[in-house]
Amino acid sequence: MEFFCFHRDRPGSLALREELGEAHWSYMDRYADELIARGPTFADHGETLTGSVHIVDLPDPAAARAFAFDEPNYQAGAYRDVLLRRWRNLLGRTMWDFPGGRTGGDRYLVLGLGTGEAADLAVPPDKDDLIAYGPLLSDDGTAWLGTAALVRAPDPDRARAVLTADRYAAVEVHEWEFGGRR
């Protein structure tokens, strides 16, 4: 089962995150084979760290909750909240298989929080700039709760356009970059 996990930073937690850097990396190393995508989010044109995205393939919701809430930064209080949802990998690949590579162009997390009838359940026709894409689902996988995408785009508005306009209660666009040990 695939899960989307977005840890949002608590304001002022950068020093704590830096202090726990190796603990975070070591923790994530344990999941290297299960990770579909990962990386930090930013604001202010990459100047301010705002969170961490991890898309991971785990056996069940309990394992996903353990992954999200045992993470060292979470345990230490660096995060203000965690969005954890079942996810379906509609591209069928990891971010490391993205033909556009790790660098070149701006990258974004586009997070559409849904209400009502499901939207964007198929991969958009122009998928060349999609790094990861899929619906956010309830724990049992039956209810659509939104859509999450990692996108290469020239600007936030173009990234936002990967989702169908007016089909979401809210859409967030965050600057994002490929994560993992360098």
Side-chain angles (χ1 to χ4, degrees):
M1 291 180 187
E2 297 152 335
F3 294 88
F4 174 87
C5 181
F6 183 27
H7 290 98
R8 297 174 197 259
D9 284 12
R10 183 178 308 283
S13 67
L14 181 59
L16 180 57
R17 290 218 28 202
E18 289 173 346
E19 177 185 325
L20 295 169
E22 183 54 36
H24 169 78
W25 291 112
S26 295
Y27 183 80
M28 289 302 156
D29 287 346
R30 296 175 14 206
Y31 294 94
D33 293 340
E34 290 83 16
L35 285 166
I36 296 166
R38 66 187 291 184
T41 59
F42 297 91
D44 307 320
H45 306 289
E47 297 296 317
T48 304
L49 186 64
T50 61
S52 292
V53 171
H54 296 92
I55 303 174
V56 62
D57 190 357
L58 295 168
D60 54 46
R65 283 189 289 279
F67 170 84
F69 299 114
D70 290 346
E71 194 277 336
N73 288 315
Y74 179 83
Q75 288 291 308
Y79 299 130
R80 71 175 166 94
D81 61 50
V82 179
L83 175 65
L84 180 63
R85 296 285 184 258
R86 283 274 301 271
W87 186 75
R88 187 170 303 123
N89 186 355
L90 295 183
L91 298 177
R93 66 175 187 226
T94 71
M95 72 178 201
W96 297 276
D97 300 320
F98 171 60
R102 290 182 65 97
T103 60
D106 294 330
R107 280 88 189 305
Y108 300 91
L109 162 64
V110 181
L111 189 58
L113 304 175
T115 61
E117 189 175 330
D120 299 320
L121 295 176
V123 176
D126 184 15
K127 65 181 182 180
D128 292 344
D129 288 323
L130 293 177
I131 300 162
Y133 184 89
L136 299 168
L137 305 166
S138 59
D139 276 358
D140 65 4
T142 62
W144 176 82
L145 303 174
T147 305
L150 299 173
V151 181
R152 178 177 59 188
D155 58 61
D157 289 336
R158 295 276 296 275
R160 178 9 183 138
V162 74
L163 299 183
T164 304
D166 303 324
R167 294 297 303 272
Y168 295 88
V171 174
E172 301 174 13
V173 178
H174 303 267
E175 299 168 33
W176 174 82
E177 69 179 35
F178 272 58
R181 287 193 189 266
R182 299 189 192 280

